[in-house]
Amino acid sequence: RRDAVAALGTQPDADVVTYLAPLLRDPSVDVRRQVIAELAKAPLVHVRTLLYEQMQSDPDTLDQLVQVLSDLGDTSLAPQLIELFPNASHAAQLAILETLPQLQEPTAQPLIVRQLASSDAEIRCYAVRALGRIGTQTAMRHVVHAARDSDRTVRATVVRVLADACEVPKALNDERAIEELDRLSVDEDEAIARAARSILERWGRG
């Protein structure tokens, strides 16, 4: 069925949406994912409506739907993602954290900050990256705070986010940021320590 969906999507004269929409209820996740991929090629208003409805009812494809709707540039996406996040699958939560910063929705920042306390280190890493992409003073201070995370992958993510800064952000030009980087410069993970020392040197604080 998935191959049939893909073939239908290549037919220029077919009313693709009419034929594909019922297949969004197909019992196979693979088929539904293929339908979503084909519908994404027809960025019409009623297609977006279908995809939004699917987002509310199909948690197994939510990660794909988040990416598709984001790629379509839908500015109304952020509030729905914030609402769906708590009950979303792990993959969908990662997709939401990846997407929210580019939507430039201020109300998303508290949700992202809360994920720094998640029991899942991967979620915490994505939250750190998301806050780095938001780049406000408040967001960057939370990035610095995450330097004390017990997981080395999260600390390494913090260092990468700080290293990506072209210059010392105003939010980081304070003793708290320097203190955390000093502590990371002697981290048990040598790669993290080396990167932290490099940042301090670049900022003239080495």
Side-chain angles (χ1 to χ4, degrees), residues 74-148:
D74 199 315
T75 56
S76 63
L77 182 58
Q80 298 198 50
L81 296 185
I82 293 169
E83 181 181 350
L84 289 170
F85 186 91
N87 298 316
S89 68
H90 181 263
Q93 287 187 336
L94 296 181
I96 290 171
L97 289 172
E98 187 72 21
T99 300
L100 283 174
Q102 67 196 57
L103 299 177
Q104 299 182 341
E105 173 54 56
T107 60
Q109 187 167 311
L111 168 71
I112 298 171
V113 169
R114 287 196 297 274
Q115 304 322 304
L116 295 176
S118 170
S119 60
D120 187 309
E122 189 174 19
I123 290 287
R124 300 200 301 277
C125 285
Y126 270 68
V128 168
R129 284 200 293 268
L131 290 167
R133 289 167 62 197
I134 290 172
T136 63
Q137 289 192 8
T138 301
M140 295 307 292
R141 288 194 176 105
H142 284 292
V143 169
V144 170
H145 180 74
R148 292 182 175 267

